Amino acid sequence: MKIKHRVAIVGGGLAGLRAAIAAYDGGVQDVAIISQLPPVRSHSVAAAGGINGSLANHPDGRDDNWEKHAFDTIKGSDYLADQDAAEVLAREAVPVIVETEHWGCPFSRNEDGTIAQRPFGGAGFPRTCYAADKTGHALLHTLYQQVVKRGIKVYTEHLVLTLAVADGRAVGAVVMDIVSGEVGTVEADALLFATGGAGKIYAHSTNNLLNTGLGMAIAYWAGVPLKDMEFIQFHPTGLWGTNILMTEGCRGEGGYLVNNQGERFMARYAPKAMELGPRDIVARSILTEILEGRGFNQGGPGGGYVHLDLRHLGEAKINERLPEVREICKNFAGIDPVYQPIPVQPSQHYTMGGISTDINGATVLKGLYAAGECACVSVHGANRLGGNSLLDTIVFGKLAGQHMARFVAEQPLQGSVDKLLEEKKAEVERRFRELFDNPGTERESALRVELQQNMFHNVGIFRQADTLEAGLAKVRELRERYRNVKVHHTGRIYNMELIRAYELRGMLDVAEAIAAGALARKESRGSHARRDYPERDDQNFLKHTLAFHTPEGVRLDYSPVTITRFQPQARKY
Ligand SMILES: Cc1cc2nc3c(=O)[nH]c(=O)nc-3n(C[C@H](O)[C@H](O)[C@H](O)COP(=O)(O)OP(=O)(O)OC[C@H]3O[C@@H](n4cnc5c(N)ncnc54)[C@H](O)[C@@H]3O)c2cc1C
C-alpha cells in the first residue's frame, strides 16, 4: 500500500475535517484524510453541550463581544493561555459558527430564528451555541457533508503509526490498514495531525477507547515538543459508575449540584457563579465534598458521588434541551432525571496540553501541522472553558488547512523519499515482530489498566510531591515492563491486541510527560492543584512546560506565555 497526496490529514474528527476543507479550498485539490475511524464516528460526535461564540443572541447576552469571550478564556486558563491565540479564537468564533450554520448545521433556535445560546461555566454571558445536547454530532455531520461534496479522499480504518522525516521535514508516515493488517506508506508535501485527546491514559474518563494520545506520541518521538501536558481537565459531572458525560449544559440550563445534606454546596466555593463556575473549581469542589463526608455512597464501591438535580427544570425543558442526558440516564443508570437526581462524580475529560503549534497549526518540524485536542496552540492554558474545544477544532483546523495550502504551493517536496519510507515501514514491521516473538509474559491489557489507575490516583485532581513522585516512578516501572509485552494473537486482520500494544508504548511516554511536568510545576494553576503548593506562582511559573523526548526519557524545558492586554489577576468566580 502506497498512499500519496499533497496534503495528508491524520484524523477525521472536527479539526481534521475542517483542515481538509480549508486546504482544499485554499487550492490544493489533492487532499486526503486518513482516519482510524470512519470520520463521523470520531470522538467529536460525542460533544454535547455546545460551541462558544459571542453572537449576543441571548437576552442576557446582548453586551457580549469577542473581547469579553477572549477575557473569559484567558481568566479561565488561569492566565496560561497565549493571549494572541485566545484573541484569534474569540474573534474567529462568530464567523466560523455562521459558516457552519450556512452549511446547514441544525443549531437549536430562538423564537426569532437566531441561533440559541445557553450559559456555560466561567463565561460572563450565555454564549454557548447548541444543537440540543448533540452539538458535536450536528457539527461533525455538517463538516463531513462538505468533505463529501468536495470529493476529498478518505481512508477509513487506517492507523498512522510513525512519521518519516527527511532533512528536518516531515515527508510522510507509516500506516496500517486495520481491516487487512497491511502496513504501507504515506507520502505528502505536508501532514496534519488531528488525532484527538489522550484521555484513556487515565481511569474514569469520559473519552472513548481510542483517545490514547498516539498522535501526540508520534509527534513527540519525531522531536516535536509536547506543551503543558500536566494540565488535565476533570469534568465535574461524569455519570457515577460509568463516567459517561453529563454535559455542562445540564448546569447551563439551571441544574443544581447538591450534597448529602441537601445543600447547594457551590455557594461555599464560587458564591457568584455557583454551578457555573469553571470546571477545575467545580470538580475540586465536588471532590472536596466527597472527601469531607458530604457525598453519597461514601466509601462504597465505585466511590462517592453528589447529585446533579434537574427535576425543577421540568419534563418539557429536559426533553427539548437535554434529551440525550435523559436517554443516557435511563439506559445506563436506570434513573429518569425528570423524577430522580443524577449521581455524578468528576471524571477525566480533556487534555489541555498537546503537540506544540503556532497559531497556524505549524509545529517546529517543517511540514508537520497539528490541530484540535491533540494540539496545544495554546488557548486553554491551565483550564479549558466548556464550549471552547469545539471552537478550537474549527478555528485552528481552518487556519492550519489554509496555511498548509500556502506551504505546499510554495515548498513542494523535491526528489524521491521512497527509500526512507520503505525503511520506516521495515522499522514498524520489526517492532511488530518483536511484539509477536517476545518471550515475555506481560500483557498490554494489564499494563494499560495499571497505568490508568496510577494516573487517576497519583496524577489526578489533587496533587502533591510524594504522590506525583510515586506516579512518575510507576510510569517508568511500567515502561520497563513494557519490554516484556507479548502479543499473543498473530493474525493480521483487525488485530486489536497488536494495535493496543503499539499504542501503549505511546501512552507510557505521554504519561511520563504529564507526570514529570506536574512534579516540576511547584504551584497551583487551573486544573493543576498541588496541596503542597496551593498558590499560583506567576514569578516562577507563568510559563509553558515543553516536554522533549529523549532515549533516556522526558526532558523538560519552558517557554514564555504571550500576554497582550490582560495582566494576570486573582481568579475569583
Ligand atoms: C463526551 C464529551 C463531550 C464533549 N462535549 C463538548 C462540548 O459540548 N463542547 C466543547 O467545546 N467540547 C466538548 N468536548 C471536547 C471536544 O468534543 C473534543 O475536544 C473535540 O471534539 C476533539 O476533536 P478533534 O477533531 O481534535 O479529535 P476527535 O474528534 O477525537 O478525532 C480524532 C480523530 O483522529 C483519528 N485518529 C487518532 N489517532 C489516529 C492515528 N494514529 N491514525 C489515524 N487516525 C487517528 C480518529 O479516528 C478520529 O477520527 C467533549 C468531549 C467529550 C469526551
Side-chain angles (χ1 to χ4, degrees):
M1 170 180 38
K2 283 189 180 193
I3 295 172
K4 185 172 174 182
H5 294 278
R6 298 212 62 202
V7 165
I9 307 285
V10 182
L14 281 170
L17 298 186
R18 192 62 194 83
I21 294 165
Y24 183 96
D25 291 351
V28 192
Q29 248 120 74
D30 184 18
V31 179
I33 295 168
I34 301 168
S35 179
Q36 184 177 5
L37 285 169
V40 290
R41 292 195 56 205
S42 299
H43 201 52
S44 295
V45 80
I51 177 168
N52 295 339
S54 54
L55 273 72
N57 288 346
H58 192 284
D60 298 334
R62 300 285 184 231
D63 291 336
D64 202 6
N65 59 41
W66 74 262
E67 279 123 324
K68 290 173 180 161
H69 183 181
F71 171 72
D72 287 343
T73 301
I74 291 160
K75 180 180 172 192
S77 81
D78 221 346
Y79 294 90
L80 194 71
D82 283 330
Q83 297 189 5
D84 52 348
E87 286 175 20
V88 170
L89 179 86
R91 204 179 312 115
E92 294 303 315
V94 174
V96 295
I97 290 170
V98 170
E99 183 177 59
T100 55
E101 180 194 31
H102 290 178
W103 283 343
C105 184
F107 286 111
S108 296
R109 300 281 161 178
N110 296 316
E111 286 293 310
D112 64 1
T114 53
I115 295 175
Q117 296 185 281
R118 58 168 51 128
F120 247 45
F125 299 94
R127 69 165 72 94
T128 304
C129 309
Y130 58 94
D133 53 0
K134 304 175 187 186
T135 312
H137 183 108
L139 287 168
L140 195 61
H141 281 260
T142 302
L143 292 197
Y144 188 58
Q145 285 166 4
Q146 294 300 317
V147 164
V148 172
K149 180 177 166 189
R150 287 164 178 74
I152 292 170
K153 170 87 181 154
V154 182
Y155 298 87
T156 58
E157 297 190 280
H158 280 62
L159 181 72
V160 167
L161 298 164
T162 191
L163 273 170
V165 178
D167 301 324
R169 174 173 180 164
V171 296
V174 178
V175 66
M176 179 184 184
D177 177 345
I178 299 171
V179 180
S180 66
E182 184 188 357
V183 175
T185 57
V186 180
E187 180 183 332
D189 292 7
L191 297 101
L192 176 131
F193 274 23
T195 50
K200 279 296 165 185
I201 289 174
Y202 279 79
H204 307 295
S205 172
T206 62
N207 286 199
N208 77 8
L209 288 175
L210 300 183
N211 279 10
T212 61
L214 179 59
M216 293 179 191
I218 294 172
Y220 182 54
W221 294 331
V224 180
L226 300 181
K227 195 195 291 172
D228 292 337
M229 290 303 290
E230 61 269 35
F231 297 102
I232 297 290
Q233 179 161 86
F234 288 81
H235 196 289
T237 58
L239 181 64
W240 177 76
T242 68
N243 305 109
I244 301 173
L245 184 79
M246 295 288 99
T247 169
E248 192 163 314
C250 295
R251 284 171 285 135
E253 294 297 345
Y256 298 151
L257 288 170
V258 181
N259 64 15
N260 70 11
Q261 314 286 302
E263 290 173 309
R264 281 179 70 194
F265 56 84
M266 282 310 299
R268 250 194 295 288
Y269 308 95
K272 265 172 51 198
M274 292 293 286
E275 282 84 357
L276 287 175
R279 288 179 178 174
D280 55 339
I281 293 176
V282 182
R284 279 197 292 276
S285 307
I286 293 177
L287 189 57
T288 303
E289 291 296 301
I290 294 169
L291 292 174
E292 294 182 356
R294 293 185 295 277
F296 299 89
N297 192 45
Q298 294 288 149
Y305 58 80
V306 297
H307 278 155
L308 171 62
D309 199 344
L310 306 184
R311 289 174 294 181
H312 55 287
L313 303 183
E315 184 166 10
K317 190 167 182 181
I318 291 174
N319 282 347
E320 184 205 328
R321 307 279 175 90
L322 303 165
E324 198 170 74
V325 164
R326 188 175 186 195
E327 202 179 311
I328 291 169
C329 285
K330 283 180 170 176
N331 291 340
F332 291 90
I335 58 164
D336 185 342
V338 171
Y339 307 108
Q340 290 151 296
I342 308 170
V344 291
Q345 59 186 182
S347 308
Q348 189 288 339
H349 184 60
Y350 186 82
T351 322
M352 258 82 70
I355 302 166
S356 180
T357 73
D358 67 14
I359 283 169
N360 293 311
T363 71
V364 291
L365 177 61
K366 189 171 159 186
L368 180 70
Y369 291 73
E373 193 172 336
C374 74
C376 181
V377 178
S378 80
V379 288
H380 309 303
N383 173 65
R384 170 177 77 87
L385 294 189
N388 265 355
S389 172
L390 292 180
L391 183 62
D392 170 2
T393 63
I394 294 181
V395 167
F396 292 105
K398 180 175 179 177
L399 288 175
Q402 288 172 340
H403 200 267
M404 290 174 93
R406 293 195 293 274
F407 172 76
V408 301
E410 287 161 14
Q411 301 186 53
L413 266 188
Q414 308 285 346
S416 167
V417 292
D418 282 354
K419 189 160 165 282
L420 172 74
L421 290 174
E422 285 307 312
E423 281 166 14
K424 296 299 288 182
K425 180 177 143 184
E427 243 173 57
V428 166
E429 290 285 11
R430 235 183 350 263
R431 286 253 340 108
F432 284 179
R433 264 198 311 279
E434 280 165 16
L435 287 166
F436 290 135
D437 298 343
N438 198 307
T441 54
E442 295 285 3
R443 289 271 188 171
E444 68 74 25
S445 51
L447 262 55
R448 177 183 293 246
V449 171
E450 280 188 52
L451 172 68
Q452 291 169 332
Q453 291 296 338
N454 172 56
M455 294 303 283
F456 188 80
H457 293 292
N458 288 328
V459 197
I461 297 184
F462 288 114
R463 302 166 171 190
Q464 58 194 44
D466 54 352
T467 45
L468 288 171
E469 277 161 9
L472 183 55
K474 180 72 182 178
V475 171
R476 289 177 175 156
E477 175 212 309
L478 291 170
R479 209 168 41 194
E480 279 306 304
R481 286 168 54 196
Y482 178 82
R483 293 173 194 277
N484 299 321
V485 166
K486 179 177 180 62
V487 170
H488 293 78
H489 177 57
T490 52
R492 281 302 180 95
I493 296 171
Y494 274 113
N495 189 340
M496 297 314 288
E497 189 189 358
L498 176 64
I499 291 173
R500 294 282 172 266
Y502 190 91
E503 282 168 353
L504 180 61
R505 190 172 135 230
M507 292 168 80
L508 289 164
D509 286 343
V510 173
E512 189 195 27
I514 296 171
L519 182 61
R521 187 174 280 278
K522 296 187 169 89
E523 65 157 355
S524 288
R525 184 184 294 273
S527 64
H528 175 66
R530 297 250 333 217
R531 290 201 190 272
D532 46 356
Y533 295 97
E535 301 301 325
R536 194 175 81 198
D537 177 358
D538 286 339
Q539 205 173 348
N540 294 302
F541 287 101
L542 183 57
K543 58 188 182 184
H544 298 296
T545 307
L546 296 176
F548 291 86
H549 181 250
T550 78
E552 294 75 42
V554 64
R555 176 177 69 80
L556 297 181
D557 203 346
Y558 294 91
S559 68
V561 172
T562 306
I563 309 276
T564 54
R565 57 173 92 186
F566 304 111
Q567 284 309 313
Q569 302 165 8
R571 197 165 153 252
K572 295 222 164 26
Y573 289 94

